[in-house]
Amino acid sequence: MPDFRERVCWDPPTAANTISVEAISPSPPVFRATHAPLRIQRARLDGRQLVLEGQPVDERTVLHDFLNHETNSGALLMPIVGESGSGKSHLVRWVREHLELVDDRSRDREIIYLEKHRTSLKAVVQSLIAKADSDELKQLKAEIDKFTADIDASVLARRLIHSLNETLVAETGRGVSGPARQLFGPHGLGALLDDPHVSEFMLQPEKFVPQLVTYLLRDRTKGDKDRPPKFTVDDLPLDITDVSKASALAKKWVQVLSSKAELQEIAIDLLNEHLETAINRSFNLGMGRLLEAMTLVREEYHRQGKEIVLLIEDFALIQGVQKDLLDAVVEAAHREGATRLAPIRTLMAVTTGYFRDLPETALTRVQANLGYAYDLDVPFSEEDTGEEAIAAFIGRYLNAARIGKDQLEQVGGAEPPNACDTCPLQPRCHDAFGASADGYGLYPFNRSALTRMVHSTASKDEPWGFVPRTVLGSVVRPILIEHAGSLRRGEFPDAAFSESFPTADIDTTLDTAMRSFIDTNDRVAGPRRQLILEFWGDAAAQGIEIDPTVLEAFALNPLTAGVQAPPQQPQREAEPSPQHSATPGTAKTEDKTYRLSVQRSLQNIEEWVTRGDDLKQDHARAIRTVIATAVAERYRWNAPLMQAQSNVKEKGWPNNATVVSIEGSAVAGITGADSAPIQFKRSATNSRFFQSLIRAQNGLDQVRGEDIRRLATLAERHAGALASRVQRNLEITDDDLVLGLRASVLGAVLAGRCWPGMSVEELLAAAVDDGEPWKGTGVMSRPDRWTAALNQHLSARSALVKRIRTGIGISQGSRGAVGLIDAARAVPLLEEATATWAWETPTGSVPEWVKPAVKPFASWSALIDGQVTALKGWLRDIRMRQPRSTPGNHTLASIRTAVDRAREVSLSLPAQRARELDALLEEAAAVEWSTISALEDDLARCFDDDRPEASRLIACIRTAAQDRGASIEVFRNLLCVADAWLDEALKGAEMRASSSAAKSAAEGVQELIAEWRSLAVEGADQP
């Protein structure tokens, strides 16, 4: 049996050369081979509107009507109307191809054929007057020949703009009122065109004038772009570069037109209205010249006894002679009972919009002589889907592509062969993919695929429309040419197909249940299987099974035997009908009355996958709210341990796309969505999950248990993400807490509560102490700068410590105070914080809650140095008067003895000095003398050059931080006061040395002083 796998029964380059989207391109044999009946219907003229009536007709009806319709005037104008690509030119050509076959009066008729591609003014005039012979017509042809041969396109373009300027300047605007009035006359729109800067803008290659001039001078060739038929807003000089170079009047008009859209439209209408006059001036023809020529032509053919048959493939493209030509073809042949001109029948293809803008004279003649046009804008409908007509149309092109242009042209006028007749796969192919009524195989399409692809590429405004050019250019050619490679590789239909052919709104989609089933059971080619079921299987209308031949052709394997397909989902109606039995505001779906808002939400979620629609903002928000709330409610605030937060939406976990990002939702592209912790791709599984969430949220049935379990799993999985987001929002991440703990520890250093070398338990206790008990409790004197820094820190410490506790502790509920610290988390953070005992501004940002507490730390080194210097000075004062080797109680005893001896020898001791010494002696009795030695040891470590610098710095902080109480200052003050008194006593004794008693007392005092100082000297000599 022949293999169907990855078969391509046409040659893509041959198909590209054979199938044309323009009626002007194919040769007669190819044209005949690909012609299929067009959708044509009479449209009655109602003013300038067209009203379809009656039943569709075929081409032969149009041809018969055209040749046999009689008019009283002898001038028939039969319009063929339709939008671009609807087949108007094709119908005119078909009439031309069949005229001689059906016309028994062909000898009495002269056929003039204006082809779509021969639209240069020279070609148009030559076609119209080719066979007529008179001196006047010869002169007209000679003038146009010479003009077009001698002139350059750029010169003609400038001449055309100048002619437009002259034509517009000459318009007075009589009878025109309102804003449009200012566009007329010498200071109006014509003055704008007269500006050289504006002219250069309008002469840019992509603008209308240069393109028009090109086609006026030469015929259109294959591959040329469609020529725009008239000026558009894009041609107005609204965005001139450096408008300051323009004249004052031109600048004024640029500003006016740029700001007033209604004037833009009026200006465009004016330019188009006067375009033909300007073209005639540019060619030196003058208005009415062609009318005179055509009159001579009709007179000549009247003398020959002939009727003129004028066929115009596209009236909109013969600019420059349209008015004259229209006047000529509607001019009555019979006047005053006599025939003066040859009768004329004109079949004219014209776009619907252009037809409505025809001069009143022409429309009046059509109304009087015919009363209707033939309209090719005849859409299919829900009742008449056109499936067979579409298959018949495309089937002929598929056959032509298989045979090829060269072979078709060899056949000539005979009926082309059917390429399928010689194919060994024909029976299987036609059985699986179908064939048109003419027997042409539809592979690689079938009827469903063709109809759906036609719908997919139709205009959104006309979803049932059938535009042959669009179908050929967007469906047939791409599949046969561009997708042939993927078909050969076994990859068709692929992602490019899906992108090119989104499911039309009028077609049902493959529901998410079926898509999810395929995703689960075909992980290799699931997307392709879904496309085949939707397009070739008409959205699985006959179930999930695919014809084996189709599977083979598209390189798909059958699904595993025994796999149970999901039940077909009932189709939902987006809106209830006015006669619906449900209550207002609800819609009946799946045996459950749903509120209309829920119904719309479910439909949008379904079509988010099946049609690729955006998930609307309200519906996406509802889904995000359910998911984000589930995560928040499931989190226990214990991993890591931290204070529970009552409103996480405001603390880093909002119900928006920065937390739950959904591909294809209206706000998925906002800043932060790409890094959202929870992300959903557009998939059938996710669509069904979302629908279950909406149903559950609204208390409805049809909630799948697996989706609830999935929600619970999501909540568990993303608990850490919530914690991280809240930590970042509250600025209590590990990095933030390290900075906060460092700030707290350094503040405790200023308060004398901690220093390097303490145990981690002591450090942690100090770090989480809010400092309230510390205020005013320091005993040791500090420098003013130190005290000011401490007070500034303490004013912000409460808030600092509260946030630290929030980050590393838990409370009873979300409002209670923190009652438990997570030491397991806090200790590593504290160790990192105390790795540095100084404040250095980090490379990242400092949390806002830390900043107030660290302001005084900007001069940290100066604070430490100042305190160490002060302590060093105090120690120096002590050691000058009391050596380390002398016990403190000996020193106190010496001072007391000196005081007593002074009193014995009647040396005066002022009362104030006596009280001061007694008080100091009493305080000194309670002094911890080891404190002085400890200070001396600490200071020695600060200035030990043999120690590393880092070690010396730590020693300085330890020395400065410790509150050594009042001992050092009391003993220092005692020694200093006693020393000063003894000096004063000695001087007094010397002054009284004249008496023997005084001399004896003085000697006694001197002995005491000598003894005290000798103690100091001995202490100083100690190693």
Side-chain angles (χ1 to χ4, degrees):
M1 179 182 294
D3 188 3
F4 212 137
R5 183 172 291 268
E6 303 163 14
R7 179 174 176 78
V8 175
C9 57
W10 63 90
D11 176 54
T14 299
N17 191 40
T18 303
I19 300 177
S20 170
V21 297
E22 293 285 356
I24 61 173
S25 298
S27 61
V30 175
F31 178 83
R32 286 190 291 272
T34 56
H35 173 75
L38 296 168
R39 288 182 63 77
I40 311 167
Q41 196 166 345
R42 280 189 181 182
R44 174 173 49 84
L45 269 66
D46 185 3
R48 291 186 174 271
Q49 301 302 313
L50 293 166
V51 181
L52 292 176
E53 60 182 12
Q55 296 298 314
V57 299
D58 60 16
E59 295 86 344
R60 295 188 180 278
T61 300
V62 176
L63 175 57
H64 182 272
D65 190 19
F66 176 60
L67 293 179
N68 295 284
H69 191 92
E70 296 297 336
T71 66
N72 295 328
S73 65
L76 173 68
L77 175 58
M78 181 175 287
I80 305 295
V81 301
E83 295 302 332
S84 179
S86 58
K88 304 180 302 297
S89 300
H90 186 100
L91 177 56
V92 173
R93 178 170 179 179
W94 185 92
V95 168
R96 175 67 184 89
E97 296 284 339
H98 288 76
L99 266 176
E100 296 180 357
L101 300 177
V102 300
D103 187 10
D104 55 3
R105 294 179 49 200
S106 58
R107 294 183 179 180
D108 299 332
R109 287 179 170 139
E110 184 64 36
I111 299 173
I112 301 176
Y113 187 30
L114 298 186
E115 299 176 70
K116 190 173 184 178
H117 70 291
R118 300 200 64 209
T119 53
S120 68
L121 192 58
K122 175 181 177 181
V124 170
V125 173
Q126 286 180 343
S127 297
L128 290 172
I129 62 177
K131 295 184 180 180
D133 189 17
S134 71
D135 292 340
E136 293 90 338
L137 296 177
K138 289 178 181 178
Q139 182 179 352
L140 176 60
K141 285 193 289 185
E143 289 176 5
I144 292 178
D145 288 349
K146 184 177 187 308
F147 182 86
T148 55
D150 294 344
I151 197 165
D152 178 77
S154 61
V155 174
L156 182 58
R158 292 183 184 279
R159 181 181 290 188
L160 179 55
I161 291 178
H162 181 68
S163 297
L164 272 170
N165 159 250
E166 290 181 335
T167 304
L168 291 169
V169 166
E171 282 290 332
T172 62
R174 182 177 300 169
V176 178
S177 60
R181 183 69 181 82
Q182 57 187 313
L183 290 168
F184 293 85
H187 301 293
L189 186 60
L192 178 63
L193 300 184
D194 194 41
D195 185 271
H197 201 55
V198 172
S199 296
E200 290 303 318
F201 173 85
M202 299 185 72
L203 288 170
Q204 293 176 13
E206 71 275 9
K207 299 302 179 184
F208 172 68
V209 169
Q211 293 185 58
L212 170 63
V213 164
T214 298
Y215 286 110
L216 285 173
L217 291 177
R218 69 168 177 81
D219 292 337
R220 182 182 178 192
T221 58
K222 185 177 181 180
D224 283 345
K225 296 188 301 183
D226 283 346
R227 182 181 71 194
K230 54 187 177 180
F231 283 102
T232 65
V233 173
D234 291 337
D235 298 300
L236 289 178
L238 304 179
D239 55 351
I240 299 180
T241 304
D242 195 7
V243 72
S244 60
K245 294 181 181 180
S247 66
L249 186 57
K251 282 190 286 189
K252 168 208 161 187
W253 272 115
V254 169
Q255 293 170 355
V256 169
L257 289 173
S258 298
S259 61
K260 296 184 178 181
E262 67 276 11
L263 278 184
Q264 295 174 17
E265 294 299 326
I266 297 171
I268 290 300
D269 290 342
L270 271 175
L271 288 171
N272 288 321
E273 181 182 343
H274 294 86
L275 177 60
E276 185 163 335
T277 301
I279 291 173
N280 278 278
R281 284 187 172 183
S282 300
F283 277 85
N284 296 323
L285 285 177
M287 291 303 293
R289 185 80 180 276
L290 186 61
L291 174 59
E292 295 173 1
M294 280 299 296
T295 302
L296 291 174
V297 170
R298 290 185 66 184
E299 289 176 351
E300 175 65 25
Y301 285 126
H302 172 58
R303 285 192 291 271
Q304 298 178 21
K306 287 189 174 184
E307 179 182 65
I308 299 174
V309 173
L310 176 59
L311 305 175
I312 305 174
E313 280 194 352
D314 192 344
F315 179 76
L317 296 180
I318 52 177
Q319 282 140 325
V321 296
Q322 289 173 340
K323 185 178 184 302
D324 279 2
L325 185 57
L326 272 178
D327 288 343
V329 299
V330 298
E331 180 72 22
H334 312 305
R335 289 185 182 177
E336 300 174 358
T339 300
R340 302 177 180 275
L341 303 173
I344 185 169
R345 296 178 182 272
T346 303
L347 188 67
M348 178 177 72
V350 58
T351 61
T352 306
Y354 221 100
F355 175 78
R356 291 179 181 138
D357 292 336
L358 288 178
E360 189 66 34
T361 303
L363 283 177
T364 301
R365 294 292 177 86
V366 173
Q367 180 71 60
N369 294 328
L370 191 64
Y372 55 85
Y374 282 104
D375 197 335
L376 272 66
D377 291 331
V378 184
F380 294 112
S381 65
E382 192 169 0
E383 294 74 26
D384 176 16
T385 62
E387 188 174 87
E388 289 304 321
I390 293 171
F393 176 85
I394 294 178
R396 298 187 71 87
Y397 279 95
L398 293 175
N399 186 59
R402 293 172 186 130
I403 295 173
K405 175 184 175 183
D406 293 343
Q407 188 175 343
L408 287 173
E409 289 178 347
Q410 291 175 9
V411 172
E415 184 68 20
N418 186 339
C420 296
D421 290 344
T422 58
C423 176
L425 292 169
Q426 187 208 51
R428 293 178 62 201
C429 180
H430 286 202
D431 183 57
F433 290 93
S436 69
D438 296 323
Y440 301 126
L442 299 181
Y443 175 78
F445 308 94
N446 66 1
R447 280 171 168 75
S448 172
L450 280 175
T451 303
R452 284 174 169 268
M453 292 166 75
V454 168
H455 293 169
S456 176
T457 54
S459 165
K460 294 291 185 183
D461 298 330
E462 290 286 348
W464 291 100
F466 181 82
V467 181
R469 185 187 299 172
T470 301
V471 172
L472 293 176
S474 300
V475 177
V476 180
R477 282 176 60 90
I479 295 299
L480 298 187
I481 301 167
E482 298 164 18
H483 291 267
S486 64
L487 188 55
R488 284 197 180 102
R489 295 189 299 271
E491 299 170 358
F492 179 84
D494 54 12
F497 177 94
S498 179
E499 184 176 343
S500 299
F501 302 102
T503 304
D505 292 341
I506 59 175
D507 289 330
T508 57
T509 58
L510 190 67
D511 64 45
T512 52
M514 192 71 74
R515 291 173 186 270
S516 181
F517 171 80
I518 293 172
D519 287 341
T520 302
N521 293 282
D522 187 355
R523 300 187 180 277
V524 175
R528 292 204 302 125
R529 191 180 298 272
Q530 290 174 7
L531 286 172
I532 292 169
L533 275 172
E534 180 158 313
F535 280 81
W536 280 260
D538 197 17
Q542 305 302 319
I544 199 168
E545 295 299 327
I546 301 173
D547 186 285
T549 300
V550 176
L551 289 176
E552 181 183 334
F554 293 157
L556 278 180
N557 295 318
L559 289 176
T560 304
V563 173
Q564 184 65 38
Q568 195 75 5
Q569 294 292 313
Q571 297 296 323
R572 291 194 293 267
E573 294 181 5
E575 303 284 351
S577 64
Q579 296 79 25
H580 203 284
S581 59
T583 57
T586 66
K588 187 81 171 178
T589 301
E590 300 174 0
D591 298 325
K592 180 78 175 181
T593 300
Y594 286 12
R595 292 196 314 276
L596 186 56
S597 60
V598 177
Q599 181 77 341
R600 287 172 175 162
S601 178
L602 294 173
Q603 181 173 353
N604 180 220
I605 296 170
E606 176 83 5
E607 294 178 350
W608 168 65
V609 169
T610 60
R611 297 189 185 278
D613 291 352
D614 280 348
L615 194 60
K616 293 182 179 178
Q617 187 170 348
D618 289 349
H619 307 154
R621 186 188 300 115
I623 295 167
R624 293 188 181 105
T625 299
V626 172
I627 296 171
T629 302
V631 176
E633 291 182 348
R634 201 170 184 88
Y635 186 53
R636 296 293 176 260
W637 305 100
N638 57 5
L641 197 66
M642 59 189 292
Q643 186 178 25
Q645 301 298 314
S646 59
N647 189 359
V648 295
K649 287 194 300 182
E650 298 176 359
K651 297 174 181 176
W653 196 252
N655 300 332
N656 64 27
T658 63
V659 170
V660 181
S661 178
I662 304 174
E663 180 184 9
S665 63
V667 293
I670 68 170
T671 302
D674 56 345
S675 59
I678 306 175
Q679 300 197 16
F680 292 97
K681 293 292 185 182
R682 192 194 302 264
S683 74
T685 300
N686 288 336
S687 174
R688 300 190 78 192
F689 174 56
F690 293 163
Q691 290 183 60
S692 280
L693 297 185
I694 294 300
R695 289 189 176 97
Q697 185 185 43
N698 288 275
L700 304 175
D701 57 6
Q702 303 290 329
V703 178
R704 302 192 309 162
E706 61 194 87
D707 292 327
I708 300 304
R709 291 191 294 274
R710 182 183 178 189
L711 180 62
T713 302
L714 280 172
E716 291 285 353
R717 182 187 308 151
H718 294 287
L722 179 144
S724 297
R725 287 295 187 96
V726 172
Q727 287 176 334
R728 285 201 298 272
N729 180 266
L730 296 177
E731 297 183 309
I732 54 173
T733 64
D734 285 359
D735 290 342
D736 295 330
L737 288 172
V738 165
L739 293 176
L741 287 166
R742 183 173 297 152
S744 182
V745 166
L746 295 182
V749 167
L750 292 179
R753 300 291 171 157
C754 72
W755 49 83
M758 294 180 71
S759 69
V760 70
E761 292 81 7
E762 293 173 312
L763 290 175
L764 181 58
V768 297
D769 193 320
D770 63 8
E772 287 298 321
W774 302 351
K775 295 179 180 178
T777 60
V779 178
M780 188 178 75
S781 294
R782 300 282 191 179
D784 291 344
R785 189 173 185 181
W786 182 287
T787 303
L790 172 61
N791 290 336
Q792 185 178 4
H793 170 79
L794 288 177
S795 67
R797 185 175 180 85
S798 178
L800 173 76
V801 172
K802 183 178 181 181
R803 190 63 67 91
I804 292 173
R805 291 176 180 176
T806 298
I808 58 176
I810 58 173
S811 60
Q812 186 68 33
S814 60
R815 298 182 181 274
V818 172
L820 182 65
I821 299 298
D822 182 4
R825 181 176 182 224
V827 168
L829 298 177
L830 182 61
E831 289 174 342
E832 184 178 349
T834 54
T836 301
W837 285 83
W839 184 260
E840 298 175 356
T841 303
T843 54
S845 60
V846 177
E848 291 297 321
W849 56 275
V850 175
K851 288 179 180 178
V854 300
K855 283 184 179 179
F857 300 164
S859 56
W860 181 257
S861 296
L863 290 173
I864 300 299
D865 289 346
Q867 181 67 71
V868 170
T869 299
L871 291 170
K872 184 179 179 183
W874 293 351
L875 182 65
R876 183 180 63 249
D877 290 344
I878 292 173
R879 289 299 180 226
M880 286 175 61
R881 295 168 177 83
Q882 191 261 340
R884 179 169 183 164
S885 60
T886 302
N889 57 346
H890 288 183
T891 302
L892 287 177
S894 297
I895 294 173
R896 285 185 183 279
T897 301
V899 172
D900 291 342
R901 293 286 299 271
R903 286 177 176 148
E904 289 174 3
V905 297
S906 302
L907 281 176
S908 61
L909 186 65
Q912 181 177 355
R913 179 73 73 181
R915 287 192 298 272
E916 184 179 8
L917 278 171
D918 288 342
L920 287 172
L921 285 168
E922 185 177 349
E923 289 180 22
V927 164
E928 291 288 340
W929 298 102
S930 61
T931 303
I932 299 171
S933 298
L935 172 62
E936 191 168 23
D937 291 341
D938 288 342
L939 286 171
R941 283 188 283 270
C942 292
F943 299 100
D944 184 355
D945 291 338
D946 292 335
R947 295 167 65 90
E949 182 181 359
S951 179
R952 294 201 304 271
L953 290 176
I954 291 296
C956 286
I957 294 172
R958 287 186 51 158
T959 301
Q962 297 178 56
D963 188 336
R964 301 169 193 271
S967 298
I968 296 173
E969 191 171 7
V970 168
F971 194 52
R972 171 183 173 274
N973 290 342
L974 173 63
L975 292 176
C976 290
V977 170
D979 193 29
W981 169 74
L982 287 172
D983 284 344
E984 292 172 2
L986 181 59
K987 287 180 182 179
E990 290 175 347
M991 290 176 63
R992 297 170 58 187
S994 57
S995 68
S996 59
K999 183 177 180 180
S1000 174
E1003 289 174 352
V1005 172
Q1006 288 175 343
E1007 288 175 3
L1008 286 172
I1009 294 172
E1011 180 183 350
W1012 185 16
R1013 287 180 174 168
S1014 69
L1015 291 173
V1017 171
E1018 290 173 7
D1021 292 339
Q1022 294 295 323

